Amino acid sequence: MLYVTTAVCSPAFLIDGKMATESCDAVNMDPDMELLSDEELERWEAESFKEQGNAFYVKKDYAEAFNYYTKAIDMCPKNASYYGNRAATLMMLCRYRDALEDCQQAVRLDNTFIKGHLREGKCHLLLGNAMAASRCFQRVLELESDNSQAQQELKNAESILEYERMAEIGFEKRDFRMVVFCMDRALDSASACHKFKILKAECLALLGRYPEAQSVASDILRMDSTNADALYVRGLCLYYEDCIDKAVQFFVQALRMAPDHDKARLACRNAKALKAKKEEGNKAFKEGNYEAAYELYSEALTIDPNNIKTNAKLYCNRATVGSKLKKLEQAIEDCTKAIKLDETYIKAYLRRAQCYMDTEQYEEAVRDYEKVYQTEKTKEHKQLLKNAQLELKKSKRKDYYKILGVDKKATEEEIKKAYRKRALLHHPDRHSGASAEVQKEEEKKFKEVGEAFSVLSDPKKKSRYDTGQDLEDDGMNMGGEHMASGPGNFFFQFG
């Protein structure tokens, strides 16, 4: 037989039908009245531990509350309310999986324990298992049909199931923005669900929102460093940012944690294939094997359409090769594709602008160089823009080289020879028997030939013309002064 000391406690709040206390005063009980059996003593001690746990719970000292509820369970492991109280404490500590185990044990001990079913449902809901949560809340309503908390939580569970369904459809349609929206709404009620967070992070990565995706994955890894899904998402972000070697490390680590992780295996295979093919293309280009490089870059572009950043570089690389192969229109198209994938890709703008210059599309070249200079105000970019603007200005004048049919690097002798040929071709005497309309057109061309020769045969005028200066500034006569209507003095200047 044992004599015990009991406690008189000031009530603070009710938890699972028992009065929690903030302070207790020990008093000695009359030995004749407090003679207890061992079993009764254990129950009494367990109840005492629970009361102390309640007191710490009120003070929000959940760690100590957990310790005392655990002592109560150790003393009396068949009491459902002790597991219920410890579950409530674990939930406050955000240890929802541990709390779920306690809730499940509580309702196994007492299937009519309403608070146990409610807490179990809430844990399932927070962890994203809406189906299991629904069953718990429906059980509560069977026991107490007007339980407002169960009614509301059941609606929350139904909403999560609907958002999951919408997200699945969105992912199949590659509508990743819709998936992110659905997961955000689901996470309002299922804030501890790693599955929802991972799906959101994966879609953020697929949308190119890498910092947001990495933040979500990193939060999960801080809580669980072996989470294969989070490791996969971290790798995916690095892969899409063209950090392929680091990405592969994360994919390998994810596969080490979960050997059957299909997405990580596919991403790892794509990353390695993409890197290898790109490097083959680079090697061929450096060796001057442009045809092979073009084919290798084309093959690399088929590996993973989702890798926006790497594919933008591949399009730009192929454009560079295309320009070497004189496939200028294809090169322009590839640059445009690269820019569509990455609007900040300066190298693609520069490559396209050069292709525009080479195809004499000066207005387009000026537009691209302006974009580049607005982004990076360097001396080099300023000069490129100035050159394009000059060529644009020159292109709006008569092209004297084109009129004579010579290259811009033609020698003085080549210019004279071309002048003779074109002057004979368009001389009015040669077309005296033609219609008035034809005579008028040929006379116009004859004068243009004379005008072109008068500029290109004069070193000073030619220099001003080539540099885009206005020839009229010095009062130079552009009227074809060397030309005369009669054939007798046609070639006088060649002596």
Side-chain angles (χ1 to χ4, degrees):
M1 292 185 294
L2 296 172
Y3 297 98
V4 301
T5 301
T6 189
V8 177
C9 303
S10 58
F13 78 116
L14 283 171
I15 180 167
D16 290 348
K18 301 295 183 179
M19 193 69 71
T21 61
E22 293 193 6
S23 62
C24 298
D25 297 316
V27 296
N28 291 322
M29 301 299 294
D30 185 339
D32 292 333
M33 299 189 61
E34 294 298 324
L35 191 60
L36 303 175
S37 67
D38 289 346
E39 184 178 345
E40 289 171 329
L41 178 60
E42 286 179 356
R43 284 200 300 268
W44 181 88
E45 286 184 315
E47 195 67 16
S48 177
F49 286 137
K50 189 194 82 167
E51 295 298 339
Q52 291 178 77
N54 290 350
F56 282 113
Y57 189 97
V58 170
K59 296 175 183 177
K60 298 184 179 180
D61 187 345
Y62 302 117
E64 277 303 304
F66 171 81
N67 291 334
Y68 278 99
Y69 291 140
T70 300
K71 290 178 182 180
I73 289 171
D74 291 341
M75 294 299 296
C76 192
K78 300 296 183 181
N79 190 306
S81 69
Y82 296 168
Y83 288 99
N85 283 11
R86 190 169 71 172
T89 303
L90 287 166
M91 291 174 74
M92 297 305 295
L93 293 169
C94 299
R95 293 168 56 182
Y96 301 115
R97 294 191 184 281
D98 293 334
L100 179 60
E101 291 181 10
D102 274 358
C103 292
Q104 290 171 332
Q105 179 61 19
V107 297
R108 274 194 294 268
L109 293 168
D110 181 2
N111 196 34
T112 65
F113 185 22
I114 289 179
K115 286 189 178 180
H117 287 296
L118 281 171
R119 287 179 183 145
E120 182 187 357
K122 188 65 175 177
C123 287
H124 280 308
L125 204 61
L126 287 163
L127 293 168
N129 191 343
M131 288 291 290
S134 295
R135 288 193 293 270
C136 294
F137 299 134
Q138 285 167 353
R139 175 57 181 158
V140 172
L141 292 173
E142 289 173 7
L143 296 168
E144 191 178 277
S145 60
D146 60 348
N147 189 295
S148 60
Q149 184 181 351
Q151 291 170 349
Q152 182 56 53
E153 295 292 11
L154 187 58
K155 290 179 182 178
N156 292 340
E158 290 169 352
S159 294
I160 288 176
L161 289 171
E162 179 62 17
Y163 285 127
E164 284 190 88
R165 187 189 67 80
M166 291 169 61
E168 184 178 354
I169 294 171
F171 197 90
E172 289 176 0
K173 293 182 176 180
R174 302 184 63 78
D175 187 352
F176 302 125
R177 286 183 176 82
M178 173 58 74
V179 180
V180 171
F181 170 81
C182 290
M183 289 302 93
D184 278 337
R185 298 291 76 75
L187 284 164
D188 288 341
S189 297
S191 58
C193 181
H194 286 180
K195 183 179 73 172
F196 294 167
K197 291 179 180 179
I198 288 296
L199 181 56
K200 173 185 174 180
E202 183 179 3
C203 289
L204 286 171
L206 291 167
L207 289 168
R209 293 161 62 179
Y210 308 121
E212 294 173 76
Q214 290 211 47
S215 177
V216 174
S218 296
D219 286 345
I220 293 173
L221 289 171
R222 274 192 288 272
M223 294 182 284
D224 178 9
S225 61
T226 64
N227 189 294
D229 291 324
L231 290 167
Y232 158 70
V233 170
R234 282 293 307 275
L236 197 65
C237 291
L238 291 165
Y239 170 53
Y240 286 156
E241 290 184 291
D242 202 32
C243 301
I244 293 180
D245 289 334
K246 288 183 179 179
V248 168
Q249 292 175 11
F250 275 96
F251 294 144
V252 169
Q253 193 175 351
L255 289 167
R256 195 176 294 124
M257 297 298 109
D260 296 329
H261 201 296
D262 292 335
K263 287 184 177 180
R265 183 180 293 105
L266 176 61
C268 191
R269 184 165 65 243
N270 284 346
K272 289 178 178 179
L274 197 56
K275 181 186 177 186
K277 195 67 68 175
K278 183 181 176 185
E279 287 178 349
E280 285 182 60
N282 293 347
K283 184 174 182 290
F285 178 79
K286 289 176 182 177
E287 293 173 352
N289 191 349
Y290 300 132
E291 290 287 356
Y294 193 92
E295 289 304 316
L296 287 164
Y297 289 139
S298 298
E299 290 172 16
L301 281 163
T302 66
I303 293 173
D304 185 1
N306 290 324
N307 196 320
I308 293 171
K309 208 157 194 175
T310 301
N311 287 344
K313 291 181 180 180
L314 288 169
Y315 276 122
C316 193
N317 286 1
R318 193 170 73 174
T320 302
V321 176
S323 65
K324 293 286 187 182
L325 295 170
K326 304 303 179 186
K327 299 177 180 180
L328 294 176
E329 290 302 325
Q330 290 181 28
I332 289 171
E333 185 178 340
D334 277 347
C335 289
T336 301
K337 289 178 179 177
I339 291 167
K340 187 176 180 180
L341 292 175
D342 182 0
E343 293 182 354
T344 66
Y345 195 10
I346 295 298
K347 188 176 179 180
Y349 283 104
L350 288 169
R351 171 57 56 195
R352 187 170 70 176
Q354 184 57 56
C355 290
Y356 281 140
M357 293 289 285
D358 292 341
T359 54
E360 298 182 358
Q361 299 179 65
Y362 300 120
E363 288 186 7
E364 289 81 357
V366 167
R367 184 190 62 220
D368 277 354
Y369 282 132
E370 283 177 341
K371 173 71 175 178
V372 170
Y373 186 62
Q374 287 169 4
T375 306
E376 295 181 0
K377 295 184 183 297
T378 67
K379 289 182 179 179
E380 180 185 0
H381 294 159
K382 184 177 182 179
Q383 187 58 49
L384 287 170
L385 174 59
K386 186 177 179 181
N387 293 345
Q389 290 171 332
L390 176 60
E391 291 302 320
L392 175 60
K393 179 181 177 182
K394 288 161 62 176
S395 71
K396 294 183 181 298
R397 308 172 307 176
K398 290 180 181 178
D399 188 341
Y400 292 146
Y401 291 101
K402 189 174 182 180
I403 288 172
L404 292 183
V406 296
D407 186 76
K408 292 181 179 180
K409 297 179 181 179
T411 63
E412 184 178 348
E413 189 59 36
E414 287 171 337
I415 290 171
K416 287 181 179 179
K417 185 177 178 180
Y419 165 64
R420 282 199 190 104
K421 183 178 178 181
R422 291 297 174 104
L424 284 172
L425 181 63
H426 299 296
H427 196 279
D429 289 352
R430 185 171 185 172
H431 302 280
S432 58
S435 66
E437 185 177 348
V438 170
Q439 287 186 30
K440 185 176 181 180
E441 182 62 27
E442 292 299 324
E443 183 179 357
K444 178 183 176 183
K445 291 179 179 179
F446 181 67
K447 289 181 179 179
E448 285 180 343
V449 168
E451 184 180 325
F453 183 70
S454 71
V455 172
L456 299 184
S457 63
D458 185 312
K460 187 177 179 181
K461 291 181 182 179
K462 184 175 183 297
S463 176
R464 291 178 64 84
Y465 176 79
D466 288 342
T467 55
Q469 298 179 58
D470 293 329
L471 299 177
E472 291 81 0
D473 289 350
D474 291 340
M476 294 181 177
N477 185 359
M478 300 300 298
E481 61 205 40
H482 295 301
M483 306 304 295
S485 59
N489 54 7
F490 179 41
F491 296 114
F492 77 94
Q493 66 269 32
F494 295 125

